[in-house]
Amino acid sequence: MLYSLQIILATPFVFVFLYLLFNYLVKGDNAVCVVVLGDIGRSPRIQYHAASFAREGFNVDIVGYAGSTPHKQMQHEKITLHHMLDPPVFFKVLPRLLNYMVKVVWQSISLGCILLLVPKAKYIFLQNPPAIPTLAVAWVVCLIRSSFLVIDWHNYGYTILGLSLGPRHPLVKFSNWYEKFFGRFAYINFCVTNAMRNDLRTNWNISAITLYDKAPEHFKKTPVDVQHHLYKRLSQEHSIFTDKVPTDSTVFTRKDVHGQITHREDRPALIVSSTSWTEDEDFGILLEALKLYEKNVQTSTIHLPNIICAITGKGPQKDYYEKEIEKLNFKHVSFCLPWLTPEDYPLLLGSADLGVCLHKSSSGLDLPMKVVDMFGCELPVCAVHFDCISELVKHDVNGLIFSNSDELASQLEDLLQGFPSNRSKLKRLRTGVKMFQDVRWHDQWKKLALPLFTMVEKVKKD
């Protein structure tokens, strides 16, 4: 009886010992576990990393939340998706601070269990933010599994938290300390701007490699026949794309008797803005600018075209602004708020005449990927000003930078006057955008990122 009891009590310790031994002996040298504490389908940069790892022969496990459909690149034989359990709905009825605490505990357990159960990987590749609890959980798992922690710094979690709580809130101060403390344990660090790289080195004592966001090859200018079919699909849910006359035409394109598709000479201008509908993107700036544009169309002596403004994305402020848009009685500006598939999103960008970016960095150190996507599709951009936006948008070269709604309205009128017969200013900016297209994501990744993982292997052998 005593002997049986000893066996029962010893079993968990034997299991833990064998698990740790197995994880140290089985290295998983050609494997990487990519972690994002968010919707995998709405995390494009993480998907690009995963696709690049797979193209270079790595076995890739992606850990994150289900939700949006990931890009078809994720259907690679070397890529496996692992979905975390969403926090229970009743957490939302708890007081805000308590909700945050129990959610962190839930995420820590859920993430930790998955990371300990997926096949052993040499690298745990982590997107930051969010920092809590991912940094600490990933670091502990790296210790247990003898893996290398790699952090891809998109922004700082504590600055995003400060948008809603204020910079002096105790939770924001704790998040700042937490992020700096655990961020130093990474073996390799990537970041999205030179400004962030300098800040990490100066204020965090972290050495990082700048790996700019670049659009992959499927982001490109959309041929007119593909545009036509896209508009026909969109018109099934959004009537503003439909021609008033029931023909095979759309508001932008027409098909002649010979079946040839061309742009209409009386078409409106298509403006696209991609937004996450959060505090760091003030959609009110665009709304006020379009109010001024609507007013000026009616009073201007020069020709200004009608505008269709397509705004893509999901987020907490979307419902509020949908109601604000419904109150408007515009005659020359129309809105469309579609949710696009990963395949249709670049097609819409490649069909548009102008992009608008409202992203204001919470830290002043990151760059909006939506502009990268637009540039990949040869689309010039009007972007709101913040400290390091010039690392991406060069004013009057590949786009224009504005500070308020008045400036944006003036830029829209200047670029669109005489449209579509006169598009000289838009074409000049498109020429500047083409220089950005010279380097695509995987080419840059293979040049800057891949050698670092090769170097880790050499250092380890030495």
Side-chain angles (χ1 to χ4, degrees), residues 5-20:
L5 181 62
Q6 289 174 337
I7 293 177
I8 294 173
L9 293 175
T11 298
F13 296 98
V14 172
F15 174 80
V16 171
F17 173 77
L18 292 176
Y19 179 86
L20 293 174

Side-chain angles (χ1 to χ4, degrees), residues 47 60 74 88 95 104 185 224 235 320 323-324 361 392 395 401 412 422 453:
Q47 294 183 72
V60 183
M74 298 301 97
V104 166
F185 293 116
V224 65
S235 66
Y320 168 79
K323 294 175 183 178
E324 291 297 304
S361 170
L392 180 59
H395 185 71
I401 297 175
L412 294 177
N422 179 15
F453 298 98

Side-chain angles (χ1 to χ4, degrees), residues 106-146:
W106 176 276
Q107 290 175 331
S108 299
I109 297 172
S110 177
L111 177 60
C113 289
I114 290 179
L115 291 181
L116 290 172
L117 292 174
V118 297
K120 171 67 187 296
K122 176 188 279 191
Y123 308 101
I124 294 183
F125 190 105
L126 176 66
Q127 172 182 297
N128 186 79
I132 300 174
T134 46
L135 285 178
V137 173
W139 174 65
V140 170
V141 172
C142 282
L143 292 178
I144 294 173
R145 308 199 80 173
S146 185

Side-chain angles (χ1 to χ4, degrees), residues 45-46 127-129 152-156 190 192 196 366-367:
R45 182 173 165 104
I46 279 298
Q127 172 182 297
N128 186 79
D152 190 28
W153 298 85
H154 295 201
N155 200 346
Y156 296 149
F190 297 103
V192 294
M196 179 172 284
D366 72 308
L367 293 172

Side-chain angles (χ1 to χ4, degrees), residues 175-192:
S175 179
N176 185 3
W177 170 86
Y178 172 98
E179 208 164 0
K180 287 184 177 180
F181 179 79
F182 285 102
R184 296 192 181 102
F185 293 116
Y187 198 82
I188 300 174
N189 291 277
F190 297 103
C191 62
V192 294

Side-chain angles (χ1 to χ4, degrees), residues 163-423:
L163 291 175
S164 56
L165 299 180
R168 298 181 180 276
H169 194 281
L171 190 56
V172 175
K173 293 182 178 180
F174 170 77
S175 179
N176 185 3
W177 170 86
Y178 172 98
E179 208 164 0
K180 287 184 177 180
F181 179 79
F182 285 102
R184 296 192 181 102
F185 293 116
Y187 198 82
I188 300 174
N189 291 277
F190 297 103
C191 62
V192 294
T193 64
N194 285 330
M196 179 172 284
R197 182 193 65 191
N198 294 334
D199 188 74
L200 284 168
R201 182 178 62 244
T202 303
N203 299 318
W204 296 50
N205 196 28
I206 292 175
S207 178
I209 302 296
T210 302
L211 190 68
Y212 282 117
D213 285 317
K214 296 287 184 180
E217 291 79 0
H218 62 274
F219 282 86
K220 56 188 176 182
K221 188 172 174 58
T222 307
V224 65
D225 59 328
V226 180
Q227 291 183 32
H228 179 76
H229 295 299
L230 173 66
Y231 298 142
K232 295 291 284 186
R233 290 200 303 276
L234 290 174
S235 66
Q236 297 175 10
E237 295 185 16
H238 306 281
S239 60
I240 61 173
F241 292 98
T242 307
D243 187 12
K244 295 180 181 179
V245 180
T247 64
D248 198 25
S249 298
T250 72
V251 72
F252 296 103
T253 56
R254 61 162 47 100
K255 181 186 289 188
D256 62 22
V257 294
H258 303 291
Q260 184 178 0
I261 297 172
T262 58
H263 283 116
R264 297 176 57 139
E265 295 179 356
D266 60 344
R267 70 183 184 275
L270 177 59
I271 293 178
V272 175
S273 181
S274 305
T275 176
S276 57
W277 302 99
T278 53
E279 292 90 345
D280 61 350
E281 298 187 50
D282 187 357
F283 179 72
I285 295 177
L286 177 58
L287 205 59
E288 290 301 317
L290 291 174
K291 288 179 182 178
L292 292 172
Y293 184 90
E294 168 76 16
K295 179 180 179 181
N296 292 338
V297 169
Q298 302 175 28
T299 60
S300 177
T301 57
I302 59 175
H303 169 69
L304 293 173
N306 290 345
I307 287 177
I308 290 182
C309 185
I311 307 163
T312 69
K314 293 180 180 179
Q317 295 185 348
K318 183 175 182 179
D319 290 342
Y320 168 79
Y321 280 110
E322 277 186 311
K323 294 175 183 178
E324 291 297 304
I325 290 172
E326 290 174 358
K327 297 177 184 177
L328 302 174
N329 188 27
F330 287 165
K331 295 181 179 179
H332 301 283
V333 178
S334 303
F335 292 89
C336 174
L337 279 64
W339 176 247
L340 302 170
T341 66
E343 289 71 34
D344 279 348
Y345 175 60
L347 295 182
L348 182 64
L349 296 185
S351 305
D353 300 297
L354 181 66
V356 175
C357 175
L358 304 167
H359 174 85
K360 285 186 176 180
S361 170
S362 63
S363 64
L365 300 172
D366 72 308
L367 293 172
M369 180 170 275
K370 55 184 67 65
V371 174
V372 175
D373 295 339
M374 292 173 182
F375 282 178
C377 293
E378 202 177 307
L379 183 63
V381 174
C382 292
V384 69
H385 176 268
F386 63 90
D387 285 347
C388 69
I389 188 63
S390 60
E391 288 192 41
L392 180 59
V393 181
K394 312 296 183 184
H395 185 71
D396 210 30
V397 175
N398 55 17
L400 300 175
I401 297 175
F402 61 88
S403 297
N404 52 54
S405 56
D406 290 338
E407 289 184 8
L408 177 56
S410 177
Q411 291 173 3
L412 294 177
E413 293 173 27
D414 185 48
L415 293 173
L416 297 178
Q417 59 178 297
F419 182 94
S421 58
N422 179 15
R423 290 177 290 144

